[in-house]
Amino acid sequence: MKDKLPYITSTYFVSLIKAYLQGHKTKPEILAETADLLPPSAHNEVSQLLTAAAHQMNDAFYADIVDSIQHTSGTVPTRKGLIHHLEALLQEEITVQELLDWATWYTFEEDQLSAGIMDDFAVEYFCLDFLPVYHEELTENQFTKALQLFKQQGGNPLKEKIALTLLIEKEQQHFLYFLRSFLEQPQHVEALDSYLMKKFGMDHFSFPYMPELMEMSGKPERMEELLKKAMM
């Protein structure tokens, strides 16, 4: 291998690894591009495969790769990468498991907060929180809605997080229940705050639909309108 492909440098492997980790290339795309470098039955995690191939080609490549990708900057899922992976999933180019494997490559301790690992808050929530919990029950229609959501420009990350959660029908019912309960007994704001904090990591002060909710005081029948708006 070393004699066959002397023109390849460690930079080539670094760029491939980052392209995968950011999501700009799927696993099948990486495997197709590196068919002459990787074993035909490559089932391991992509970055490990590429690092092993690089190390086999040149011992010095390993240190170069580690040095280049040891920081999370430039090596985490991006919105563009998530869009690319969701499109590939809907075109049946990757499986839900391959989407999950890519989205959750970064693992963290139980007592470590996930917030702040990625630059895009909504992408981070989808990859590290939403997808691991719901991937087995998400339908093609729900994945399509998630794709449409991420394609929107200039979205409010808090609203995006809420809209993603509301892709799940039971979460829609919880949303309506707690907001209706608050309208009926606004003095019991602690219950609303408990729900919002547990589900979305916010209280009623940061809840982006609080003005609309307050306007519905005495008009609980309009809650469906708010739900539709929150689902974006």
Side-chain angles (χ1 to χ4, degrees), residues 12 25 51 53 69 80 86 88 135 139 142 158 174 178 185 192 194 199 201 207 210:
Y12 171 76
K25 289 182 182 293
T51 301
I69 65 172
K80 182 179 179 181
L86 286 173
H135 67 278
T139 65
Q142 288 168 315
L158 294 180
H174 292 163
F178 282 99
Q185 296 182 303
L192 176 62
S194 178
K199 188 57 59 177
F207 181 53
M210 201 64 190

Side-chain angles (χ1 to χ4, degrees), residues 136-179:
E136 291 183 344
E137 61 184 90
L138 288 171
T139 65
E140 180 179 345
N141 184 51
Q142 288 168 315
F143 277 119
T144 299
K145 289 181 178 179
L147 174 60
Q148 292 169 345
L149 177 66
F150 282 112
K151 282 187 172 182
Q152 294 179 19
Q153 298 298 320
N156 180 313
L158 294 180
K159 289 184 177 182
E160 289 177 332
K161 181 176 182 179
I162 293 170
L164 287 168
T165 303
L166 295 179
L167 288 175
I168 308 302
E169 186 174 352
K170 66 181 178 181
E171 297 297 348
Q172 297 172 25
Q173 302 309 313
H174 292 163
F175 185 81
L176 288 173
Y177 172 79
F178 282 99
L179 269 59

Side-chain angles (χ1 to χ4, degrees), residues 162-163 166 172 175-176 209 216 222-232:
I162 293 170
L166 295 179
Q172 297 172 25
F175 185 81
L176 288 173
Y209 297 106
M216 292 180 181
R222 292 183 57 199
M223 281 301 304
E224 293 289 343
E225 297 176 23
L226 183 54
L227 173 63
K228 184 178 294 187
K229 183 174 184 178
M231 292 176 67
M232 298 177 69

